[in-house]
Amino acid sequence: MTDIRIRINSKTYPAIGQAGKHQAIANLDLSMKAGEFVCLVGPSGCGKTTLLNITAGLDHDYDGEILLGSQHTHPRIGYVFQNPRLLPWRTVRENIELALDSAQSPDQIDPLLETMQLTRAQHVYPERLSLGMSRRVAIIRAFAVDPDLLLMDEPFVSLDAPTARQVRDLLLKLWRQRPHTVLFVTHDLREAIALADRLVFLSASPMRVLRELTVPIARNERHNEALIESYRQQLMNDYPEIRQLL
Ligand code: ADP
Ligand code: MG
C-alpha cells in the first residue's frame, strides 16, 4: 500500500447554458496515508464526483497532479460508483469476475461473497436484486481487484436507514479483513463519523478543503449511535462553517 496525494489547481467545465467556464475545483490539496479511511463531506454539487473521477484517471482534463505512491507500478483502483452499474445480462458472480485481471483466481470471490452475505445470490441476475444487494455487489467488485486505492461515491444514498446501516456494517467488516486505503464520499455527517479515520470537509463550488479532522472515537465504539450523534453536535457547535455546508 502506498501514500496518496491529490493536488488539483483547477478543474473547469464549460458553463451550462451560457458562455464561459464553471470553476468546479480550485487549489485543492489532499493527502492520505496508506491504509487510511478518509471521508469527504460536502454539499451536493460541490465537485465530489468530479474529484473521484480525476483520481481514478477517468477525467484527464484538469490542472494538477495525482500521486499514487510509486509511479513505477500502475496503481490499482477500485471504484464504487453512486449508481451500482451492474451489467443486467450477467449474474452477480459474472459481474464481479469481469473486474478481475487474468492473474487473479475467480475462487477469491468466494470469501467476499460470504462476508457480504451474497453467497446464495451469486447466480441471480441484477434485476432480481434489491438496491441494498446491488450496492453490496458493487462493493465486492471494487474490493476484488485488491485495490491500492478504493474510491466510494455515496454508496449508501437512497437506501432506507436500517439497510444503509446494515451495508455500512458489512463494509466495515470487509475493510477490517482487507484494510485498503479508502476515499469515501458522503453528504451524511453521521455516516462519515461512523466510518472514517479522518473527515475532510469541502466547500461549495469551487470546491476546496475547508477543514480536516481526525475522528476521536475508537473503532470498537462506532456502533454507539449516541456517541456518534454527540460528536456530530460538537462539530456543529465548534465549527459554524460545517453547519452551513450540511
Ligand atoms: P457532487 O458529486 O459533489 O454532487 P459533481 O462533481 O457531480 O458534484 O459536480 C460539480 C459541479 O460541476 C456541479 O456544479 C455540476 O453541475 C458541474 N458538472 C459536473 N459534471 C459536469 C459536466 N460534465 N459538464 C458541465 N458541468 C458539470
Ligand atoms: Mg456526486
Side-chain angles (χ1 to χ4, degrees):
M1 284 195 286
T2 50
D3 289 345
I4 288 156
R5 180 156 184 213
I6 299 167
R7 212 162 45 74
I8 302 174
N9 304 325
S10 172
K11 165 66 189 176
T12 59
Y13 286 114
I16 296 170
Q18 59 190 62
K21 289 177 172 178
H22 168 71
Q23 181 87 39
I25 303 177
N27 299 321
L28 180 133
D29 193 342
L30 182 66
S31 296
M32 299 175 69
K33 288 202 268 303
E36 197 177 19
F37 199 128
V38 173
C39 278
L40 301 179
V41 187
S44 179
C46 77
K48 304 182 294 296
T49 299
T50 302
L51 170 66
L52 293 194
N53 286 339
I54 289 173
T55 307
L58 301 177
D59 180 351
H60 297 282
D61 181 20
Y62 69 100
D63 170 28
E65 193 175 31
I66 311 293
L67 295 172
L68 300 169
S70 156
Q71 297 294 307
H72 301 299
T73 53
H74 188 68
R76 279 189 307 270
I77 302 231
Y79 198 164
V80 181
F81 301 100
Q82 190 163 327
N83 177 322
R85 297 199 193 179
L86 303 178
L87 298 177
W89 59 90
R90 303 271 188 171
T91 65
V92 164
R93 192 179 180 95
E94 288 165 353
N95 266 282
I96 299 166
E97 283 179 357
L98 280 175
L100 301 178
D101 66 42
S102 52
Q104 290 181 292
S105 156
D107 292 348
Q108 70 167 69
I109 295 173
D110 295 329
L112 292 165
L113 286 166
E114 187 163 339
T115 301
M116 288 310 251
Q117 300 177 359
L118 283 169
T119 303
R120 280 171 45 204
Q122 63 181 304
H123 299 303
V124 309
Y125 287 86
E127 64 175 10
R128 291 193 39 211
L129 303 176
S130 65
L131 183 60
M133 292 169 97
S134 302
R135 292 268 167 78
R136 272 143 61 197
V137 177
I139 290 170
I140 293 180
R141 188 177 51 185
F143 270 87
V145 303
D146 193 21
D148 299 300
L149 175 62
L150 185 53
L151 304 171
M152 305 185 81
D153 195 357
E154 310 207 41
F156 308 143
V157 88
S158 22
L159 296 179
D160 59 77
T163 308
R165 204 194 146 115
Q166 181 215 15
V167 184
R168 194 176 81 202
D169 289 346
L170 290 173
L171 167 67
L172 281 176
K173 189 172 169 197
L174 199 55
W175 183 70
R176 276 195 301 273
Q177 292 168 1
R178 299 164 189 241
H180 296 297
T181 314
V182 182
L183 192 54
F184 184 105
V185 161
T186 181
H187 60 254
D188 180 338
L189 184 49
R190 278 191 203 86
E191 178 174 284
I193 296 168
L195 288 167
D197 295 317
R198 188 154 54 93
L199 304 171
V200 176
F201 292 95
L202 302 166
S203 72
S205 70
M207 184 172 88
R208 62 192 174 77
V209 174
L210 276 182
R211 187 169 286 281
E212 302 186 45
L213 294 165
T214 300
V215 178
I217 305 171
R219 284 267 162 213
N220 61 7
E221 301 208 88
R222 300 291 179 103
H223 59 273
N224 184 337
E225 304 257 348
L227 212 55
I228 304 261
E229 177 56 20
S230 106
Y231 182 57
R232 189 182 75 89
Q233 291 291 345
Q234 184 195 325
L235 290 181
M236 300 290 224
N237 287 331
D238 291 356
Y239 307 109
E241 74 272 23
I242 293 176
R243 204 175 324 146
Q244 282 162 22
L245 286 179
L246 304 166

